[in-house]
Amino acid sequence: MANIERVYDQIRREERAALQRRVDEAYRREPELAALADQRRTVFLDAAAGRLAPDAAGERLRALDGRERDLLRRAGLAPDALQLHYRCAACRDTGYLGDGVRRPCACRLLLGARLDPAIGVNERETFEAFDVAVYPTERQKKEALAARKHCEAYAAALPRPPMPNLLLMGMTGLGKSYLGNAIAYRALGRGVEALRATAYGFVQDTLDGIRGENRALPRYRSIPLLVLDDLGTEPLIPNVTVESLFAVVNERAARGLATVMATNLAFAALQDRYGERLFSRLTDGTTTRILRLTGDSLRRGTPAC
């Protein structure tokens, strides 16, 4: 994504400029620091040319480092004032990890979610922001806390939880969508790629893919974590909806890929809507953990949690 690359370029430019300002200030306060930098370069050149033995070069560099620390301390500056600072130490502001086959850093995945609405993950509905006080009864609070605990454990086991599927069930406004987003956001923060979509959006992408107008459809089958929200609200299009959902859920389960699904439908309604074949996949006890939320809707005057 071009926008992400521009952001990282800007971050690196800003940090290089900040380093130059720190260097200028340090040299202004302690001019000897500039001389030390010149001496350090001379040591490197002499060692590379063979004019200085490795042991002697190492000893000389250690002495220069010690003197630099003393001068920085005397000037009231931080020990790393003359070093480039990174906003993400893991990837050094490149957005990627690894020397050979690179993989996205967590900071890049989170930035991507902020910049690309199509990823469907927001930074508001998180485990950290989970507020049990919005639940109206002690029983519902206890149930919500238990659900959060299970969802956090699932997120902690990503990308390969013991059971790849998690099915969140319950009436509207009980926090299923919130928990699905919280799992996806935690996944991104751990460096696991995630996609969150509604079942309606999935069916629309399927139709666009059939027309050759959407190349994003393969991501549903391959992304490490898929959160499929509002299952049961999508249009039932003959030879498309049920077949496409079965193909994605079945293939992901076979590959052990993590899939979180949320639905307002009860078991009987799920079976009636999708038929035995897909229903058995959605509720298979060998691949799916089912969490059922009950109680009063939080949308009655209170934002859902």
Side-chain angles (χ1 to χ4, degrees):
M1 184 187 298
N3 286 342
I4 288 185
E5 299 307 330
R6 285 197 292 269
V7 170
Y8 278 106
D9 286 344
Q10 181 64 25
I11 288 172
R12 291 190 291 268
R13 284 196 298 271
E14 290 175 357
E15 290 303 330
R16 286 194 295 268
L19 171 60
Q20 189 58 58
R21 289 193 296 272
R22 292 195 301 272
V23 169
D24 292 343
E25 178 62 16
Y27 288 1
R28 184 188 66 80
R29 295 189 191 185
E30 289 289 349
E32 186 183 341
L33 286 168
L36 291 180
D38 290 337
Q39 293 174 41
R40 190 178 284 109
R41 282 191 290 271
T42 299
V43 171
F44 283 125
L45 290 172
D46 287 346
R51 293 189 293 269
L52 193 61
D55 289 347
E59 183 177 350
R60 180 62 179 147
L61 289 173
R62 286 190 292 274
L64 292 172
D65 290 344
R67 180 57 179 165
E68 181 177 270
R69 288 192 296 271
D70 291 340
L71 291 173
L72 288 172
R73 190 183 308 112
R74 190 171 73 182
L77 298 172
D80 63 350
L82 303 182
Q83 299 172 19
L84 184 63
H85 293 174
Y86 298 107
R87 299 185 193 181
C88 178
C91 69
R92 296 192 170 193
D93 297 338
T94 65
Y96 289 100
L97 302 173
D99 296 326
V101 178
R102 300 192 307 168
R103 64 185 189 279
C105 182
C107 70
R108 183 184 182 87
L109 296 179
L110 291 171
L111 176 60
R114 289 196 295 273
L115 295 177
D116 185 1
I119 294 174
V121 182
N122 67 73
E123 52 191 346
R124 302 180 306 279
E125 299 171 316
T126 66
F127 290 122
E128 290 74 18
F130 189 94
D131 183 8
V132 74
V134 302
Y135 291 93
T137 67
E138 289 303 316
R139 183 199 59 76
Q140 202 167 346
K141 289 178 183 179
K142 184 177 180 180
E143 186 178 84
L145 285 172
R148 182 181 70 175
K149 181 178 179 180
H150 286 306
C151 289
E152 284 196 277
Y154 179 89
L158 291 168
R160 296 285 179 175
M163 284 193 179
N165 295 345
L166 177 63
L167 178 61
L168 304 171
M169 302 183 69
M171 298 299 292
T172 300
L174 296 180
K176 303 182 300 298
S177 296
Y178 188 107
L179 289 171
N181 186 87
I183 291 171
Y185 190 82
R186 178 67 60 81
L188 296 178
R190 296 184 58 244
V192 178
E193 291 186 81
L195 172 66
R196 181 183 178 215
T198 63
Y200 183 95
F202 167 76
V203 171
Q204 185 61 57
D205 284 343
T206 299
L207 290 173
D208 291 344
I210 293 172
R211 302 186 192 105
E213 300 171 356
N214 192 324
R215 298 182 180 180
L217 199 56
R219 293 192 70 201
Y220 286 103
R221 298 172 183 260
S222 62
I223 198 158
L225 171 64
L226 172 64
V227 178
L228 199 58
D229 202 6
D230 292 332
L231 196 64
T233 63
E234 72 286 347
L236 279 177
I237 301 173
N239 301 317
V240 175
T241 301
V242 174
E243 290 77 1
S244 299
L245 284 170
F246 178 85
V248 166
V249 172
N250 185 61
E251 183 173 337
R252 291 183 62 82
R255 297 172 61 186
L257 296 175
T259 308
V260 176
M261 297 162 286
T263 182
N264 298 338
L265 301 180
F267 284 117
L270 275 175
Q271 188 171 20
D272 182 63
R273 180 178 178 84
Y274 296 121
E276 181 61 33
R277 187 164 173 255
L278 178 52
F279 174 75
S280 65
R281 272 287 172 261
L282 295 174
T283 60
D284 185 348
T286 65
T287 59
T288 304
R289 183 183 185 93
I290 299 173
L291 289 181
R292 280 178 278 191
L293 300 177
T294 62
D296 296 329
S297 172
L298 304 178
R299 294 180 185 173
R300 297 172 183 172
T302 305
C305 182

